[in-house]
Amino acid sequence: MAQRKFYITTPIYYPSSHLHIGHAYTTVYCDTLARWHRLKGEDVFFLTGSDEHGQKIERAAQTAGKTPLAYVDEIVATFQALWQRLNISYDDFIRTSEPRHHRVVQAIFKQLYDQGDIYKSVYKGWYCTPCESFCPETRLVDGNCPDCGRPVEEVEEESYFFRMSKYAPALLAHIEAHPEFIQPGTRRNEMVSFIKQGLEDLCVSRTTHSWGIPVPIDEGHVIYVWIDALSNYLTAIGYLSDEATYSKWWPADVHVVGKDILRFHTIIWPCILMALGVDLPKQVYGHGWVVLDSGKMSKSKGNVVDPNVLIDEFGADAIRYFLLREVAYGQDAKYSKRGLIERINADLANDLGNAYHRSLSMLERFCDGIVPAPGQPEAQDLELRQLAEMTVAAVDQRLAQLEANTALTELWRLVGAVNKYIDTSEPWSLAKDPDKKERLNTVMYTVMECLRIVALLAGAFLPETGGKAWRQLGLENYAEKTAQDLTWGGLQAGTRSAKGEPLFPRIDVAASLAVEETQPGDQGQTQAPSGKGAHKMSEHEGSKSSTKENEATLKQPAAPQQPASPGQPSAPQAPKTVEKQDDAEVNLITIDDFAQVQLRLAQVEAAEKVKGADKLLKLQVSVGEEKRQIVAGIAKHYAPEDLVGRKIAIVYNLKPAKLRGEWSQGMLLAASDDAGNLALLTVNEDVASGAEIR
Ligand code: ME8
């Protein structure tokens, strides 16, 4: 059977300014689809590029004292650098200033002119330079552009026009016959009613600037934006230059755009294509906006979020994950730095990172780091296997429906199920009983095989992480894997794992937001934290603090000697000098100091001794939905089995640290007296695990 092809495009972005996370979203989204279709063994062509002509760029270059080409060269280089940092796997980057594109655009213009679909007339009306768009007076909003809200300029000039109105009936018929053509479906009616209002002929040339492709039959004119820009989708695949390549890829399987330019792609572009006698793209998907709390990102508001700054701080995959996860199909999504960090901590560090880290740790401890051969599966093993198989199908189905966010939800359901399976099958208990070796092997194999499948599935969304996870499992040649490798049982017994650092360190929310607070010009859209509420979100990060340091912490009393009560005013009402003296003597802290320590109730799910450390116990606890491991110096006072099921108080936002090679993600609280008695702090009433202690 012939190999299926998949041709996907992003919009070509204007190099009039730098790209922000909205542009990054579109491109990451397309990259995910491209990678997924490649994994499925399809022949993929993924196109992106830059839309370089026009008055706006000409003016910006003038202001910068550069030629337009020198100006765009510099900015386009930053686009390409950003795509490299985000691991965008495009097959071609088209620049509209390239000669290959000039030839195609001029030929298209000439054909349309020769067949009478382009004619010369006079344009009189309103023009929005930022949008590169003419606007009928009836659409102006308070005299401003209806799309961007900025002032329009009145222009009158001789122009060429494309007879778009002529193609309206055929376009309507096409939309009706192909309901999948405009995505999301909710936007289809909007487009249909726009067409039904009557399409005006489209102005396709300008004389007010010269930075563009000259009209082939009239040197005083340059071809105006949409014929120039939209034709990039044809140029890049060899239209009019390489028939075989062109007919291999066209029609495009999906043009992905933001909702701002859906109309251009579902009305102007199809009309041009119909006039040329070229098939229409199979689908055009207009996704929603990435917006800020303060509304839309815009240069003039000074609130655009630079993806480079976020990649510097959190890495490419964290940004990719956030964008793909937050933007629901056809909907707008909010970006805030806090939201980003919460996603990283909850989904990447806790769920995904923890699943690998704890599993690989157990494989090392219980199986010498070598994947064992499984024994007879039990019901819960088969259930997990079934879920893994269903997840492969579900991710595929969601991506076929262009829903990257729900595809991730499906994948995370599997990650969550792996964590739960570990909790309930308790490999640490099985490992203690030599009679249960076969059961342990089955459990460990099931876990590792799930994680192998997760690593492959994750690659389309998080290419760096997928590869890293794959290597930690001891596997090779990640880039060469295909959907066939998603079949259950692909993991060979005997594979030696290579556990490394956790895939995602936890981020300290308060510290990260505090950096932002000190750099107001940087990511000015996010509110700086203040007061107790802000600290409540604080979580701890992957830490390099030494074992020694943490053991010292464990031995110290958990609470200050004279803790401030929650109702206490934040500073004593006394003269400053006295206050200072008192503070020093009794080690007073303010209520704000206290608020920095997050205390939570946790439930002990499992406990065991730490090998080679007679004072330490290792507890698996749940804090609400979250699973953590805590190592505590209480082995002399409690037997592991006495702790299971107990609710204990923990310091929730302590930096994780390693104790005798084991991660401790928090600290439990205990009271101890001089006689050597020790008792864990717990609650007498039924309060849910995860509850805050204040
Ligand atoms: O329109 N949220 O280029 P452009 C999500 N050159 N996506 C966003 C976004 C946001 N806040 N802001 C921008 C042009 N985008 C033309 C396109 S195509 C033949 C010509 C994304 O630089 C989204 O994909 O203004 C939007 O359509 C595109 O960037 C606009 O990029």
Side-chain angles (χ1 to χ4, degrees), residues 677-693:
N677 299 310
L678 181 140
L680 289 177
L681 293 193
T682 184
V683 284
N684 294 327
E685 311 292 340
D686 195 14
V687 183
S689 148
E692 286 186 39
I693 300 171

Side-chain angles (χ1 to χ4, degrees), residues 8 49 116 173 282 391 508 557 580 610 616 643:
I8 183 168
K282 291 183 195 162
T391 303
D508 183 331
K580 255 189 175 166
V610 174
L616 296 182
L643 295 173

Side-chain angles (χ1 to χ4, degrees), residues 123-129 131-155 161 194 200-203 206 224 226 263-264:
Y123 180 84
K124 192 163 181 278
W126 301 97
Y127 184 73
C128 174
T129 305
C131 291
E132 306 265 7
S133 170
F134 291 99
C135 185
E137 185 146 354
T138 48
R139 285 197 67 229
L140 297 181
V141 177
D142 298 331
N144 293 323
C145 170
D147 295 322
C148 73
R150 283 174 279 204
V152 289
E153 294 171 46
E154 192 168 21
V155 294
F161 289 83
F194 191 89
E200 292 184 18
D201 287 351
L202 183 74
C203 179
R206 300 220 59 196
Y224 166 65
W226 290 107
R263 193 154 41 91
F264 303 118

Side-chain angles (χ1 to χ4, degrees), residues 11-14 20 22-23 25-26 51 226 229-230 232-233 257-261 265 287-290 297:
I12 47 172
Y13 305 110
Y14 290 129
H20 56 62
H23 303 103
Y25 169 68
T26 314
D51 183 1
W226 290 107
L230 290 159
N232 88 86
Y233 302 133
V257 298
K259 62 185 182 184
D260 53 330
I261 53 174
H265 282 75
H287 63 69
W289 289 118
V290 178
M297 272 178 282

